[in-house]
């Protein structure tokens, strides 16, 4: 456990991993001196992402200014996000590892916006936010996280924008999605969704139950992302949320496999 005024539920391996990225980056850009060493910067960033506290509070805890805290976080998030896999790479790897299917799901990340920001208002969720598309393995491991789109974007539209269907076809994989993706794949061969409508025949009800059982574990992926409290309600620019989510994807998977 790491400690920052209280226990931080992360392993020392994760701290070492992030510290290493910061140390290499400083060497590459030739930074002579900073207020915090690489290990302290890494811990500051992990605290910010895990606890979701404002920059001023996190910075004060480490004895640095709000501006310096902001700069440290943005720098480290970029280093982490750069390690997140691209969509096609993630799907090809899933195919090589023998996955029979993947799970596709959309999630809304709430943001601190005013009512005038209409593109970010999700009528489905009744709040402002950004849409992220997440692809997970059958056991719920995060495989890929998209960049951000305004919260008003429907999951089907988001999937088209990120060309998920083409990537699935290229990798030779199928994806299970919820009813929000109904009609996205006209052939229903790559993106499989539950049957819709009332008074369905028993065969369709059985198919829907089987579909739900397969998708269930995969839905853990979004819960894993939101376990990092920074994504509970983001106060930074919405245009940075995709990078935050990608950084958390890298950290979450590292913590799971090496932590």
């Amino acid at each position: 456990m790491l400690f920052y005024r209280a226990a931080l539920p992360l392993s020392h391996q994760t701290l070492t991993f992030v510290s290493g990225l910061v140390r290499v980056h400083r060497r590459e850009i030739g930074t002579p001196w900073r207020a915090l060493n690489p290990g302290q910067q890494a811990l500051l960033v992990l605290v910010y992402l895990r606890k979701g506290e404002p920059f001023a509070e996190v910075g004060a805890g480490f004895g640095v200014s709000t501006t310096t805290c902001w700069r440290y976080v943005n720098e480290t998030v970029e280093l982490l996000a750069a390690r997140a896999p691209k969509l096609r790479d993630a799907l090809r790897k899933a195919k090589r590892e023998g996955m029979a299917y993947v799970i596709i799901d959309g999630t809304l990340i709430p943001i601190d916006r005013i009512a005038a920001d209409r593109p970010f208002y999700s009528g489905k969720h009744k709040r402002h936010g950004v849409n992220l598309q997440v692809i997970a393995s059958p056991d719920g491991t995060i495989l890929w996280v998209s960049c951000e789109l305004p919260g008003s974007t429907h999951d089907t539209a988001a999937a088209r924008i990120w060309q998920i269907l083409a990537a699935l076809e290229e990798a030779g994989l199928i994806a299970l999605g919820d009813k929000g993706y109904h009609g996205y794949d006209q052939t229903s061969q790559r993106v499989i969704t539950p049957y819709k409508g009332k008074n369905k025949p028993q065969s369709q009800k059985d198919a829907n139950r089987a579909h739900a059982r397969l998708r269930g574990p995969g839905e853990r992926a979004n819960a894993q992302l939101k376990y990092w409290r920074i994504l509970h309600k983001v106060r930074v620019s919405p245009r940075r949320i995709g990078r935050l989510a990608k950084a958390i994807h890298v950290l979450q998977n590292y913590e799971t496999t090496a932590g």
Side-chain angles (χ1 to χ4, degrees):
M1 300 285 280
L2 306 180
F3 285 85
Y4 167 79
R5 296 179 290 180
L8 191 65
L10 293 170
S11 68
H12 279 281
Q13 288 93 329
T14 298
L15 177 61
T16 301
F17 166 63
V18 181
S19 300
L21 294 180
V22 173
R23 187 173 295 107
V24 170
H25 177 69
R26 289 188 183 187
R27 190 182 306 125
E28 289 175 346
I29 64 177
T31 300
W33 178 89
R34 289 191 182 183
L36 301 183
N37 63 40
Q40 292 169 326
Q41 178 175 337
L43 182 56
L44 178 150
V45 174
L46 291 174
V47 167
Y48 173 77
L49 296 175
R50 197 62 151 177
K51 295 172 70 68
E53 295 176 344
F55 288 120
E57 293 183 19
V58 176
F62 285 84
V64 297
S65 68
T66 300
T67 301
T68 298
C69 180
W70 175 86
R71 187 170 64 251
Y72 283 167
V73 168
N74 284 348
E75 177 183 65
T76 311
V77 164
E78 289 298 322
L79 294 174
L80 288 165
R83 299 177 70 89
K86 305 296 185 184
L87 173 60
R88 283 172 168 76
D89 292 338
L91 292 179
R92 283 195 292 264
K93 182 179 178 182
K95 182 68 173 180
R96 288 196 303 271
E97 292 178 353
M99 294 184 196
Y101 62 92
V102 294
I103 310 296
I104 181 174
D105 202 4
T107 188
L108 185 85
I109 303 300
I111 60 175
D112 186 13
R113 299 280 95 180
I114 60 175
D117 296 323
R118 295 184 63 85
F120 293 97
Y121 184 75
S122 168
K124 175 182 176 181
H125 297 90
K126 309 299 182 186
R127 63 195 311 179
H128 291 84
V130 300
N131 177 295
L132 295 180
Q133 296 295 299
V134 180
I135 292 180
S137 67
D139 68 359
T141 301
I142 304 169
L143 301 177
W144 172 79
V145 180
S146 74
C147 289
E148 71 287 333
L149 289 170
S152 60
T153 309
H154 192 275
D155 283 339
T156 298
R160 290 195 180 101
I161 290 171
W162 303 127
Q163 300 181 7
I164 292 175
L165 181 58
L168 288 167
E169 290 174 343
E170 181 182 302
L173 274 173
I174 63 171
L176 304 184
D178 62 21
K179 294 178 181 178
Y181 297 93
H182 187 75
Y184 171 51
D185 178 9
Q186 297 297 327
T187 67
S188 298
Q189 293 180 345
R190 291 297 176 191
V191 180
I192 302 173
T193 59
Y195 290 101
K196 298 178 70 173
K198 299 179 179 179
N199 302 318
K200 292 184 288 291
Q202 188 60 44
S203 60
Q204 293 185 2
K205 292 179 181 179
D206 292 341
N208 280 1
R209 278 193 287 270
H211 186 278
R213 283 196 299 271
L214 291 174
R215 284 191 72 251
E219 292 181 337
R220 291 178 50 246
N222 286 341
Q224 290 176 49
L225 281 179
K226 293 182 179 179
Y227 185 57
W228 297 73
R229 294 184 62 84
I230 189 61
L231 295 184
H232 285 198
K233 190 169 186 179
V234 183
R235 301 178 180 87
V236 299
S237 168
R239 294 180 179 86
R240 294 200 56 79
I241 294 177
R243 305 300 287 173
L244 281 173
K246 288 178 181 293
I248 289 171
H249 168 202
V250 172
L251 288 170
Q252 180 65 35
N253 283 5
Y254 188 89
E255 179 74 9
T256 300
T257 58

